[in-house]
Amino acid sequence: VLSDGALAVADNAIVNRDNIIENRFGFDLCNYFLPVSKPESMFVTGSTLYVHINNQLWYLKFPDDCIYDQITGLSVVSLQIPLFVFYFNGLLIFSQGNSVIRRVNLSDLSVVSIAGLANNNGSADGIGSIARFNAPHGVYFDNTYAYICDAANFTIRRIELSTNTVTTIAGTAGMNGSADGIGAAARFEYPEGLWSNGTYIYIADYSAFTIRRLEIATNTVTTIAGTYG
């Protein structure tokens, strides 16, 4: 974080408090072709900055004169808010408001759906398009699994990336609350964001005002900060 409150996102770029992406050297404006709106999320890999803004994904290869290009196939037409993105090892996976989980390979910018069926809400486990989600939000993944906050189902879901098999690992669809417990016995109020260190998954249970911890080996959920309500 820079002294003026700006957030540094790459060696050559910053985001000021006015949400404008600029070049650090001289603070020259660095947003050509980028929509005028608040960046929702961004990440850097190699020499490329990726920005999620206005329900689209754009990328900037430093130091290419601050000209952004849009990732094809990711447009307002094909994406629906909320859009939560996580990047790892050359891939990004994101959740869509129309209940689909999709993957982008950044080496060729190819986009594929890996789980869920567009505009078909539900809570079913299964493989690929057989699975159902209801307002999927936060995403985290590693080489083996993707974890999803299935917010309106009050559950945490896991996708095995080699087979696209979806399994509910904590919470029970349609049953909200704040109870700690193992697997289906746990209750969530509206899980929105999550992150993992490989041993635990840390979950922001938004409407419960709490931070929850899920032990991956046992699916045990514990409240570690905040008080329900």
Side-chain angles (χ1 to χ4, degrees), residues 96-100 117-124 132-136 153:
Q96 292 185 202
N98 62 351
S99 297
V100 174
L117 186 64
N119 302 314
N120 282 263
N121 294 340
S123 60
R132 295 289 182 270
F133 299 87
N134 192 1
N153 275 330

Side-chain angles (χ1 to χ4, degrees), residues 5-222:
L7 173 67
V9 296
D11 286 342
N12 293 16
I14 64 168
V15 178
N16 284 337
R17 280 182 279 185
D18 57 5
N19 298 319
I20 294 176
I21 296 176
E22 299 181 354
N23 190 294
R24 173 177 292 182
F25 302 110
F27 296 91
D28 299 323
L29 195 64
C30 186
N31 63 355
Y32 299 120
F33 301 118
L34 197 67
V36 179
S37 188
K38 177 183 177 181
E40 298 296 330
S41 60
M42 60 187 66
F43 60 92
V44 177
T45 173
S47 61
T48 304
L49 168 68
Y50 293 88
V51 181
H52 161 221
I53 186 170
N54 269 13
N55 217 20
Q56 302 166 329
L57 281 172
W58 295 75
Y59 66 96
L60 170 68
K61 292 185 177 179
F62 298 118
D64 289 350
D65 299 322
C66 293
I67 297 175
Y68 286 78
D69 291 309
Q70 186 180 357
I71 296 181
T72 58
L74 302 183
S75 64
V76 174
V77 175
S78 63
L79 300 184
Q80 296 185 29
I81 295 175
L83 171 63
F84 288 76
V85 180
F86 188 81
Y87 166 81
F88 177 76
N89 199 24
L91 300 174
L92 63 87
I93 290 179
F94 58 89
S95 59
Q96 292 185 202
N98 62 351
S99 297
V100 174
I101 311 301
R102 305 182 79 188
R103 182 186 67 213
V104 181
N105 188 329
L106 297 181
S107 64
D108 59 10
L109 301 183
S110 59
V111 184
V112 296
S113 297
I114 62 173
L117 186 64
N119 302 314
N120 282 263
N121 294 340
S123 60
D125 289 342
I127 298 174
S129 61
I130 295 174
R132 295 289 182 270
F133 299 87
N134 192 1
H137 279 51
V139 177
Y140 174 89
F141 72 98
D142 54 26
N143 284 319
T144 306
Y145 297 108
Y147 299 95
I148 312 291
C149 281
D150 200 0
N153 275 330
F154 319 118
T155 55
I156 306 300
R157 317 288 294 280
R158 184 186 69 198
I159 305 174
E160 186 175 3
L161 296 177
S162 62
T163 63
N164 292 339
T165 300
V166 178
T167 305
T168 302
I169 61 173
T172 297
M175 301 183 68
N176 61 315
S178 62
D180 292 339
I182 299 174
R187 296 289 179 266
F188 299 91
E189 194 63 39
Y190 201 82
E192 278 214 339
L194 77 172
W195 180 85
S196 176
N197 63 3
T199 302
Y200 297 102
I201 301 170
Y202 297 92
I203 302 157
D205 198 356
Y206 174 78
S207 293
F209 315 112
T210 55
I211 305 300
R212 320 288 296 278
R213 185 184 67 196
L214 191 160
E215 186 178 21
I216 294 173
T218 64
N219 291 337
T220 300
V221 176
T222 306

